Amino acid sequence: MKILVLGGTNFFGKKAVQLLLDHGHQVTIATRGNKKNPFVGRTSHILLDVEQEDHSGWKEVQAQRWDAVFNNICYTREEAERMLEVLRGLTDRVYFTSSMAVYGDQIGGFHEEDFDPMTYIIDPTIEITYGEGKRQVESVLFKQNDFKVTAFRFPIVLDDDDYTQRLHHYIDKALKNEVIEVYNLDAHVNYIKGTMAADFIVWAIENAIEGILNISSNQSVPFSQIISWLEEAVGHQLQVVVKDEIDYAPLSTRHDQYVVPDKAENLGFQINPLAEWMPDLMKRLTKERSR
């Protein structure tokens, strides 16, 4: 297939491009060029700033027809509307990265029907948070009829090469035997591994999957289990304090917040439980950060 990827040089987007290439697809990436193309000689590369309506890269996008488009960098209604206008008549399928954040601060676990973009009314006066931006993107794209749309609602994505280093933050504190502050040890959470996110993106594209899909590990655990795995990784008991106000707690939540990936599993995608990869990831990061 001839596939356009908006983004694709960072984290799980980069993993998805690598996998598409490994599967023999013809891939073009479109990026601002801030990062070097890691696939030189294997992909075409369009220089494009998606925030600029009149950027010259859009003409290059419009010069071709695409079997599928994967947008990993769509965060606002304006960007979704621009993509809709540019891609009209040029593709039949658009896939994009959404987020668990569309469910807001409700108590999870979340099923896909807990947020319906078809009935969502965009309020132009509302503050645009990350979650609100993704809600508006979904609303714009699912209400159009020019191409079929697939949204990937991921929770927090973790892996060895997570550039945000959210899990690394806890590893470093544990290694220094510093106090780890959490909101709620009983709150259930789940995450997805970066490689699994890439696997799912490619699987969905190759199988022409359509609609809204939660995708995460199929096992939610209380945050106390995350702490137990962390203690096992670093080899000693941790100092953990439960607080209402914390300066930085990138993985901890105040209440249950996780997505239920039953729909993806029922469609045939194989999902690994959190316990199959999280403890090993912690051990690898502990070894790396201990050097």
Side-chain angles (χ1 to χ4, degrees):
M1 283 193 289
K2 186 178 179 181
I3 301 169
L4 172 66
V5 177
L6 301 176
T9 58
N10 201 26
F11 199 25
F12 65 88
K14 179 179 175 181
K15 295 176 189 293
V17 170
Q18 181 64 63
L19 194 56
L20 287 168
L21 292 171
D22 291 345
H23 288 196
H25 298 290
Q26 181 182 345
V27 180
T28 296
I29 61 172
T31 76
R32 289 178 295 179
N34 292 342
K35 285 182 173 289
K36 184 178 179 180
N37 179 6
F39 309 105
V40 172
R42 301 187 66 196
T43 67
S44 298
H45 186 194
I46 296 173
L47 290 176
L48 172 66
D49 187 338
V50 297
E51 296 180 5
Q52 295 184 24
E53 183 177 2
D54 58 350
H55 195 276
S56 60
W58 290 121
K59 293 181 179 179
E60 293 186 61
V61 170
Q62 289 182 304
Q64 306 179 58
R65 180 169 174 80
W66 310 95
D67 295 314
V69 175
F70 169 50
N71 192 336
N72 196 36
I73 52 172
C74 193
Y75 301 105
T76 68
R77 169 179 58 85
E78 291 81 6
E79 291 170 2
E81 291 171 342
R82 190 170 301 126
M83 181 175 66
L84 173 59
E85 181 64 28
V86 168
L87 293 177
R88 186 172 285 119
L90 298 179
T91 188
D92 295 324
R93 297 186 178 276
V94 169
Y95 302 80
F96 73 98
T97 299
S98 188
S99 171
M100 180 178 72
V102 300
Y103 300 112
D105 200 37
Q106 303 176 67
I107 297 178
F110 306 118
H111 295 80
E112 286 85 355
E113 58 268 23
D114 289 330
F115 172 69
D116 184 359
M118 297 299 293
T119 61
Y120 188 68
I121 306 299
I122 294 176
D123 180 353
T125 67
I126 199 170
E127 179 186 0
I128 305 301
T129 61
Y130 175 75
E132 178 58 24
K134 290 295 188 181
R135 284 188 286 272
Q136 293 189 10
V137 168
E138 287 199 15
S139 182
V140 168
L141 293 181
F142 278 105
K143 288 177 181 177
Q144 57 75 40
N145 298 303
D146 293 283
F147 39 70
K148 296 178 180 179
V149 179
T150 306
F152 306 127
R153 289 181 181 167
F154 294 125
I156 290 175
V157 184
L158 300 172
D159 216 328
D160 302 76
D161 55 344
D162 173 15
Y163 65 97
T164 68
Q165 299 201 335
R166 288 162 289 194
L167 183 55
H168 302 59
H169 166 78
Y170 290 93
I171 298 289
D172 289 345
K173 279 190 167 291
L175 287 171
K176 296 174 184 176
N177 204 26
E178 295 178 354
V179 172
I180 294 178
E181 299 176 336
V182 303
Y183 291 115
N184 184 347
L185 285 169
D186 296 323
H188 277 67
V189 294
N190 67 4
Y191 311 105
I192 184 170
K193 196 170 187 287
T195 50
M196 187 192 300
D199 287 344
F200 184 75
I201 291 164
V202 174
W203 177 85
I205 292 172
E206 292 180 335
N207 289 278
I209 302 299
E210 181 183 353
I212 298 167
L213 291 155
N214 290 335
I215 177 65
S216 71
S217 289
N218 58 3
Q219 172 192 26
S220 68
V221 299
F223 202 74
S224 58
Q225 180 63 72
I226 303 297
I227 296 297
S228 294
W229 286 334
L230 185 53
E231 289 177 332
E232 181 182 348
V234 299
H236 60 80
Q237 189 172 2
L238 303 179
Q239 302 180 64
V240 180
V241 174
V242 177
K243 294 179 64 176
D244 289 332
E245 298 298 329
I246 305 173
D247 289 337
Y248 184 60
L251 302 184
S252 181
T253 62
R254 298 182 186 278
H255 50 69
D256 291 357
Q257 281 193 304
Y258 60 93
V259 296
V260 179
D262 291 354
K263 183 177 176 182
E265 285 195 296
N266 291 338
L267 286 170
F269 183 70
Q270 183 66 43
I271 295 177
N272 295 328
L274 200 61
E276 286 190 7
W277 61 268
M278 177 70 91
D280 288 340
L281 174 58
M282 288 180 171
K283 290 173 184 176
R284 287 197 305 275
L285 289 178
T286 296
K287 184 177 180 180
E288 173 190 316
R289 309 295 276 193
S290 298
R291 293 171 184 165

